Amino acid sequence: MSSSLFYKKALLLSLPILQVTFANPLHHRAQNSTCKKTKVAILGAGVAGITAAQTLHNASIEDFVILDVNDYIGGRVRHTNFGKDGNRNPYVVELGANWVQGLGSKGGPENPIWTLAKKWGIKNTYSNYSSIETYDQTGASDYTSYFDQYEAAYATVEQDAGKILTQNYQDRTMRTGFSIADWKPMKYMQKQAIEWWEFDWEYAYPPDQSSQTFSIVNYNATFYQWSDENNFVIDQRGFNAFIIGEASTFLKPNDTRLQLSKNITSIAYSNTGVTITSTDGSCIQADYAICTFSLGVLQNDIVAFSPTLPAWKQTGIEGMQMGTYTKIFFQFPANSDGSYFWEKGATDPTTQFYLYADPISRGYYPVFQSLTAPGFLPGSGIFFVTVVSTQSYITEQQSDATTKAQIMEVLRSMFGKDNVPEPLDFMYPRWSTESWAMGSYSNWPPGMSLETHQNLRANLGRLWFAGEATSAEYFGFLQGEFVALFPSPPILS
């Protein structure tokens, strides 16, 4: 275990219990006899929501309902059909969460998501981050030596983060930490591409906007506690098959306690109960409610709270960041010999990743991933690129045609103008504009304290909050959805 992980765990165990003032009981909607009554209302049917329901079931509490705006179980673990195989059947690709990150060590602890993935037979393949080739606007360009420089600086940043945390120093940006460690890539676009691959691709924010302390805490909690492996899910049932599987262990077929396509508009809370109203005019009156909405939903006032959230709660919500991570999918035709243009251009045709350093803009369509590599979807012709943060917002606001043209220009500079054919299919999600998500996952900004983060997860009367953004250790990770239910509401005591 790293020293910073040890320090972090010790500090988290000593977190104070915050004293909060509960709102006065509400009467106008709470006394409405037309509302359906239940013991616990669970708001959201993603990993956090289904885990909450399962926890109630395991405690022999069966009087609950699960409400979700979507027509499926899974939340941001979402897939879609894309392209066609040789039999004209579509492939399934993941729009949201796509990896099991940090599996487990032999004889040691195991990531609960990995445990569930194995339980439900989720098909996945090891992502080999050493299987990478580097490019810039001139084509293939070997700048992999910068990886070692980055890693050396990161080791220093990691040690400094432990000191900041244990000695209660002021937090700072990862950029400051890197600069102190003599990693200063600003004048070198190839170095910036390396940094994007190593940092932005994980946190969906650049080092300038990320906490040094909690970026390290976050990384160590997963990859040092369990393992440094990342397995990419290619299950053609969809990654959410494990969530559906878990739900099936306590929900009956057509169970009326699972209410999908239910668009919640308002939540009235007090220290005596919670009332939830939906667009169809229906309402639920619950003794308790567990809200698993994404941080983006809470930040953008998608749902009205009554009374208005107190200032300390709003500070906790607004203090965190909601990142956007956008995967942009292409399906390309094969060459006459069955290969694909990126395989022809690579030193190793089984290469998994292709890193591009744009000469002008950092993070401009930087990481391409091949799904034709062995163990993924061979013969699929699927090649996708990921953008985050500002480039995600730009891409998600512009037209498909504009985005496709920009990426095709990048690909032709990487692999040669005459070597890149027109795609057979093209698609990407727009997470930052989905009203039920408003982004992909959370990130810890510099200067946000643990106490302020506790306000994000703290309850309001009988309204409780869960989800990856409420986890101090696993924010941004799928496992954050699983573990962020504790401390549990009194109903579980």
Side-chain angles (χ1 to χ4, degrees):
M1 179 183 295
S2 74
S3 59
S4 57
L5 178 58
F6 175 81
Y7 299 147
K8 173 265 302 176
K9 284 187 173 295
L11 184 58
L12 289 180
L13 287 173
S14 66
L15 283 175
I17 299 174
L18 298 182
Q19 299 298 315
V20 300
T21 301
F22 297 137
N24 291 325
L26 301 177
H27 299 289
H28 57 288
R29 177 63 85 168
Q31 294 180 345
N32 190 334
S33 61
T34 64
C35 291
K36 175 181 172 60
K37 307 295 194 299
T38 190
K39 192 74 174 175
V40 185
I42 300 166
L43 314 182
V47 173
I50 296 302
T51 301
Q54 189 175 45
T55 303
L56 292 172
H57 168 78
N58 292 342
S60 299
I61 299 170
E62 304 295 348
D63 184 9
F64 61 82
V65 294
I66 308 168
L67 310 175
D68 197 285
V69 66
N70 292 308
D71 61 0
Y72 64 91
I73 288 174
R76 285 169 281 164
V77 185
R78 184 184 185 188
H79 62 267
T80 193
N81 292 336
F82 176 72
K84 294 286 191 300
D85 64 17
N87 296 316
R88 307 300 297 166
N89 296 315
Y91 291 97
V92 169
V93 295
E94 300 296 332
L95 301 176
N98 215 146
W99 279 268
V100 182
Q101 296 187 275
L103 308 186
S105 56
K106 187 175 181 180
E110 187 170 271
N111 184 341
I113 303 300
W114 179 236
T115 302
L116 294 173
K118 291 189 295 181
K119 175 181 177 180
W120 295 102
I122 300 299
K123 188 175 181 181
N124 60 89
T125 300
Y126 172 64
S127 282
N128 181 4
Y129 292 154
S130 296
S131 179
I132 183 171
E133 301 206 4
T134 54
Y135 295 76
D136 59 21
Q137 76 279 10
T138 66
S141 177
D142 185 4
Y143 46 92
T144 55
S145 62
Y146 291 144
F147 282 117
D148 291 338
Q149 293 182 26
Y150 176 92
E151 293 295 342
Y154 184 88
T156 299
V157 172
E158 187 175 41
Q159 291 301 313
D160 286 348
K163 295 176 184 177
I164 293 170
L165 189 57
T166 56
Q167 298 183 34
N168 200 29
Y169 291 160
Q170 176 64 44
D171 187 25
R172 57 197 184 199
T173 68
M174 277 294 291
R175 173 65 62 219
T176 300
F178 279 136
S179 294
I180 291 171
D182 204 30
W183 171 260
K184 302 178 180 181
M186 299 308 294
K187 296 180 181 180
Y188 309 96
M189 298 309 291
Q190 293 179 339
K191 281 189 174 183
Q192 290 201 44
I194 295 293
E195 182 182 84
W196 193 100
W197 159 272
E198 294 275 12
F199 192 88
D200 300 42
W201 195 31
E202 185 66 63
Y203 295 97
Y205 272 92
D208 314 66
Q209 297 174 264
S210 301
S211 162
Q212 177 178 346
T213 306
F214 288 95
S215 294
I216 299 299
V217 163
N218 183 249
Y219 184 91
N220 288 359
T222 283
F223 296 112
Y224 285 12
Q225 179 183 198
W226 294 318
S227 71
D228 61 1
E229 297 159 292
N230 290 272
N231 280 25
F232 186 88
V233 171
I234 52 172
D235 199 299
Q236 294 301 285
R237 296 171 296 171
F239 194 2
N240 69 334
F242 86 88
I243 313 172
I244 295 171
E246 286 299 292
S248 72
T249 65
F250 61 88
L251 292 177
K252 302 173 183 177
N254 302 313
D255 199 314
T256 58
R257 293 176 298 174
L258 176 64
Q259 298 184 24
L260 301 177
S261 301
K262 184 69 71 170
N263 190 5
I264 297 169
T265 58
S266 65
I267 299 171
Y269 64 91
S270 73
N271 57 0
T272 60
V274 182
T275 301
I276 301 100
T277 305
S278 301
T279 52
D280 60 6
S282 65
C283 61
I284 301 287
Q285 183 179 332
D287 292 341
Y288 295 87
I290 302 173
C291 177
T292 71
F293 295 157
S294 80
L295 177 67
V297 168
L298 296 176
Q299 288 179 334
N300 286 279
D301 303 323
I302 303 300
V303 175
F305 288 88
S306 179
T308 301
L309 298 180
W312 61 263
K313 186 68 174 180
Q314 292 179 343
T315 299
I317 291 170
E318 300 297 343
M320 280 291 274
Q321 298 168 328
M322 189 65 176
T324 301
Y325 183 107
T326 311
K327 289 176 284 186
I328 306 168
F329 293 89
F330 289 81
Q331 184 182 39
F332 286 102
N335 297 318
S336 57
D337 62 359
S339 66
Y340 295 91
F341 69 83
W342 56 91
E343 297 172 340
K344 285 280 191 180
T347 304
D348 180 357
T350 66
T351 296
Q352 294 184 20
F353 300 99
Y354 302 78
L355 179 63
Y356 172 68
D358 188 78
I360 298 173
S361 299
R362 183 182 184 279
Y364 186 77
Y365 306 117
V367 174
F368 292 83
Q369 186 170 346
S370 170
L371 293 190
T372 64
F376 292 87
L377 298 172
S380 66
I382 297 177
F383 200 52
F384 72 93
V385 62
T386 300
V387 292
V388 302
S389 192
T390 302
Q391 189 60 48
S392 274
Y393 305 143
I394 293 171
T395 300
E396 293 189 3
Q397 289 291 335
Q398 66 192 17
S399 69
D400 281 17
T402 298
T403 300
K404 181 166 70 172
Q406 290 173 345
I407 299 172
M408 289 296 287
E409 183 179 6
V410 168
L411 288 172
R412 285 167 175 158
S413 72
M414 291 170 66
F415 298 102
K417 182 178 180 180
D418 297 331
N419 297 326
V420 181
E422 286 297 312
L424 300 171
D425 204 355
F426 172 80
M427 175 275 300
Y428 63 97
R430 288 172 165 82
W431 285 106
S432 64
T433 65
E434 289 279 8
S435 62
W436 58 270
M438 301 302 290
S440 302
Y441 53 82
S442 65
N443 183 53
W444 198 298
M448 182 172 181
S449 67
L450 279 164
E451 289 77 13
T452 300
H453 185 266
Q454 282 291 94
N455 287 346
L456 166 59
R457 68 175 294 168
N459 62 296
L460 292 167
R462 291 193 172 187
L463 175 62
W464 293 73
F465 294 82
E468 52 84 15
T470 68
S471 172
E473 293 177 288
Y474 306 109
F475 61 89
F477 285 105
L478 194 53
Q479 48 266 29
E481 292 280 302
F482 186 87
V483 303
L485 289 169
F486 303 99
S488 302
I491 190 66
L492 299 179
S493 301

